[in-house]
């Protein structure tokens, strides 16, 4: 099983560790594309503060992110598992996974990225700021840029098994499974259910969406789930007591399911 996660906007500070070495990252076939984005991002950060803040959609209080980007080639790195923080990663809580589950996470999880395309949890990266929706000088709009190069690497990473796609919509545009791989892919939307004036409503709430996805991955890893296909994957979620509702899926497209979370 391959599990696809979004990155977190918030990244941990890394104060010590070896410098970035692209040749050590997983999916090495992506390195030429990574180098082009890295070069553009560093150049943007060192050339003009105003252009950098506009391009990266930064507020005045986030200008420090430009300084981070300017140092990307020489900054200390840490495993992606430690760099990505935020609600999803707090709920996943990789540091407290049992050893067997942690080994599975290192094999099975890929994190989407506007800068790296995708990385494994063990890949050493510096903290950075590079949303997938921005347009950089040279590469252009990153979602379209990565869409041109990601498919072979992602198909190889899937290796014939099912794919649990938990990426956010922006990152999902950078790669869409096709053909047989689409039939093996399950995409998940989390719906927050609550009762308002006697009427049950369901909606997407960002915090619940992220936290539930983190818990869902943790539960699958801890349970040692080994689904063979999309049907097995949906069954595994239900066996873990998740309320799973299936949506109609067009032929040749990934299978779509809703996971319903009830307000406490």
């Amino acid at each position: 099983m391959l599990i696809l996660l979004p990155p977190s906007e918030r990244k941990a500070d890394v104060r010590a560790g070896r410098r970035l070495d692209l040749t050590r990252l997983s999916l090495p076939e992506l390195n030429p594309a990574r180098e082009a984005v890295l070069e553009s991002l560093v150049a943007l950060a060192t050339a003009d503060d105003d252009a950098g803040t506009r391009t990266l959609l930064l507020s005045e209080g986030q200008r420090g992110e430009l300084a981070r980007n300017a140092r990307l080639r020489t900054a200390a790195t840490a495993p992606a598992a430690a760099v990505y923080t935020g609600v999803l990663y707090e709920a996943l809580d990789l540091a407290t996974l049992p050893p067997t589950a942690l080994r599975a996470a290192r094999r099975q999880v890929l994190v989407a990225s506007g800068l790296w395309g995708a990385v494994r949890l063990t890949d050493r990266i510096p903290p950075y700021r590079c949303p997938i929706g921005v347009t950089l000088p040279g590469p252009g709009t990153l979602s379209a840029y990565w869409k041109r190069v990601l498919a072979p690497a992602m198909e190889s990473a899937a290796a014939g098994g099912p794919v649990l796609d938990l990426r956010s919509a922006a990152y999902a545009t950078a790669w869409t499974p096709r053909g047989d791989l689409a039939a093996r892919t399950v995409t998940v939307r989390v719906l927050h259910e609550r009762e308002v004036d006697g009427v049950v409503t369901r909606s997407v709430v960002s915090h619940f969406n992220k936290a539930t996805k983190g818990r869902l991955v943790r539960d699958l890893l801890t349970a040692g789930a080994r689904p063979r296909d999309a049907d097995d994957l949906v069954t595994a979620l239900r066996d873990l007591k998740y309320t799973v509702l299936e949506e109609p899926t067009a032929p040749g497209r990934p299978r779509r399911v809703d996971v319903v979370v009830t307000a406490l």
Side-chain angles (χ1 to χ4, degrees):
M1 173 173 58
L2 177 66
I3 301 171
L4 303 179
L5 297 181
S8 60
E9 181 174 302
R10 190 170 79 235
K11 316 262 188 329
D13 288 327
V14 179
R15 301 190 181 280
R18 63 172 179 256
R19 293 182 179 183
L20 174 67
D21 183 351
L22 290 181
T23 67
R24 291 176 175 263
L25 297 185
S26 303
L27 311 181
E29 60 269 46
L30 297 179
N31 282 346
R34 290 165 171 160
E35 174 60 37
V37 178
L38 180 62
E39 180 179 4
S40 179
L41 200 60
V42 171
L44 181 69
T46 55
D48 186 321
D49 279 1
D50 289 336
T53 53
R54 287 195 305 270
T55 299
L56 297 179
L57 311 177
L58 301 174
S59 67
E60 284 299 315
Q62 295 173 317
R63 281 182 177 266
E65 298 287 352
L66 288 178
R68 264 186 173 181
N69 282 356
R71 298 191 299 267
L72 283 173
R73 292 191 184 276
T74 59
T77 63
V83 172
Y84 293 118
T85 59
V87 175
L88 188 154
Y89 291 89
E90 288 171 357
L92 175 52
D93 197 7
L94 288 158
T96 64
L97 280 176
T100 300
L102 183 57
R103 288 194 293 271
R106 290 167 174 167
R107 292 193 308 270
Q108 297 175 349
V109 173
L110 279 179
V111 182
S113 169
L115 174 51
W116 318 114
V119 291
R120 295 198 184 276
L121 295 173
T122 52
D123 287 330
R124 296 188 67 93
I125 57 174
Y128 65 95
R129 177 71 173 223
C130 187
I132 192 74
V134 304
T135 300
L136 294 180
T141 302
L142 291 180
S143 56
Y145 175 80
W146 285 113
K147 192 170 187 176
R148 295 192 291 271
V149 299
L150 270 177
M154 301 298 278
E155 289 163 6
S156 177
V163 177
L164 177 61
D165 190 351
L166 301 176
R167 295 173 297 166
S168 56
Y171 286 88
T173 62
W175 174 66
T176 303
R178 302 292 183 187
D180 173 65
L181 185 52
R184 292 187 274 120
T185 299
V186 176
T187 64
V188 173
R189 179 178 64 168
V190 177
L191 296 180
H192 178 219
E193 182 176 272
R194 58 179 179 163
E195 185 174 319
V196 180
D197 297 329
V199 177
V200 175
T201 64
R202 292 172 178 164
S203 60
V204 177
V205 178
S206 179
H207 177 88
F208 285 96
N209 175 58
K210 294 173 182 177
T212 301
K213 287 180 176 178
R215 287 193 295 269
L216 185 152
V217 173
R218 183 182 178 86
D219 288 345
L220 284 170
L221 294 169
T222 303
R226 296 183 178 180
R228 294 168 297 178
D229 54 28
D231 286 337
D232 278 359
L233 181 49
V234 173
T235 297
L237 293 176
R238 288 180 170 140
D239 287 346
L240 290 167
K241 308 307 180 185
Y242 286 95
T243 301
V244 179
L245 307 177
E246 297 207 48
E247 298 184 29
T249 302
R253 303 290 293 178
R255 191 166 174 176
R256 298 184 302 175
V257 303
D258 292 334
V259 171
V260 180
V261 179
T262 304
L264 299 177

